[in-house]
């Protein structure tokens, strides 16, 4: 309620100034717009510049939180990305797009090795979402069969070691 009263008071002041000093109002409004744009850009830069997380933190988060971390990692690489809805996602957890490339990502936060099912799911999701690339990201490792299937389906696998490098870059 306080913000609404403040806004109304500011509107009255600006209106009064506009009647008596229209040139001053234009200058004030222009400066306010420039400040708002600068703040917005500054927040965006800080959002990605200060994003830092380690594997110990990832290992204790839930799968949904890990999906958001992976989404942010794509954003740091200048992808426009989003986390898909929790159920009915057709095998994709994150969709990332940049310059005509559409990456469909399956995210697995596991304590054991990830098997072929994740590869199958992201391969199907790539088709469903009309992706150009399919990726499975895990905080763990992949089984031999998952690696074989990924190779034959052209699915990129990001295991624990690659994720650590990705987090550091």
């Amino acid at each position: 309620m306080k913000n609404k009263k403040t806004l109304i008071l500011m509107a009255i002041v600006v209106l009064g100034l506009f009647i008596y000093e229209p040139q001053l109002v234009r200058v004030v409004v222009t400066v306010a717009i420039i400040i708002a744009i600068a703040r917005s850009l500054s927040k965006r830069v800080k959002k990605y510049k200060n994003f830092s997380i380690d594997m110990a933190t990832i290992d204790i988060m839930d799968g949904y939180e890990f999906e958001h971390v992976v989404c942010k990692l794509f954003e740091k690489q200048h992808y426009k990305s989003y986390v898909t809805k929790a159920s009915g996602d057709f095998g994709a957890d994150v969709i990332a797009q940049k310059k005509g490339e559409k990456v469909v990502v399956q995210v697995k936060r596991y304590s054991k090795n990830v098997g072929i099912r994740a590869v199958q799911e992201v391969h199907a999701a790539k088709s469903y979402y009309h992706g150009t690339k399919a990726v499975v990201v895990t905080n763990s490792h992949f089984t031999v069969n998952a690696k074989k299937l990924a190779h034959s389906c052209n699915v990129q696998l990001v295991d624990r070691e690659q994720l650590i490098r990705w987090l550091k870059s």
Side-chain angles (χ1 to χ4, degrees), residues 5 12 41 51-52 59 82 85 87 89 112 127 136 148 150 152:
K5 287 180 182 178
I12 291 169
L41 290 174
F51 177 72
S52 177
D59 288 339
Y82 65 94
K85 59 184 179 175
S87 63
D89 60 16
K112 57 183 181 177
S127 177
V136 181
K148 286 180 184 177
S152 70

Side-chain angles (χ1 to χ4, degrees), residues 48-105:
Y48 300 119
K49 191 175 184 180
N50 297 332
F51 177 72
S52 177
I53 197 159
D54 61 8
M55 286 305 294
T57 305
I58 288 173
D59 288 339
I60 60 171
M61 51 176 60
D62 65 27
Y64 184 72
E65 292 169 321
F66 186 37
E67 290 172 7
H68 284 273
V69 168
V70 171
C71 186
K72 287 236 186 277
L73 289 171
F74 274 97
E75 288 174 354
K76 273 183 78 172
Q77 297 175 46
H78 308 290
Y79 282 86
K80 183 177 180 183
S81 61
Y82 65 94
V83 175
T84 62
K85 59 184 179 175
S87 63
D89 60 16
F90 297 97
D93 296 316
V94 174
I95 306 294
Q97 298 180 73
K98 176 172 75 171
K99 297 179 184 174
E101 179 183 39
K102 188 173 194 179
V103 184
V104 179
V105 186

Side-chain angles (χ1 to χ4, degrees), residues 83-146:
V83 175
T84 62
K85 59 184 179 175
S87 63
D89 60 16
F90 297 97
D93 296 316
V94 174
I95 306 294
Q97 298 180 73
K98 176 172 75 171
K99 297 179 184 174
E101 179 183 39
K102 188 173 194 179
V103 184
V104 179
V105 186
Q106 174 70 249
V107 179
K108 295 293 184 189
R109 200 208 57 77
Y110 277 11
S111 56
K112 57 183 181 177
N113 291 345
V114 177
I116 64 171
R117 184 171 178 180
V119 177
Q120 293 168 333
E121 288 175 358
V122 78
H123 183 63
K126 177 184 167 191
S127 177
Y128 178 80
Y129 287 98
H130 307 289
T132 57
K133 186 176 181 182
V135 180
V136 181
V137 179
T138 185
N139 66 318
S140 185
H141 296 92
F142 295 95
T143 64
V144 172
N145 286 341

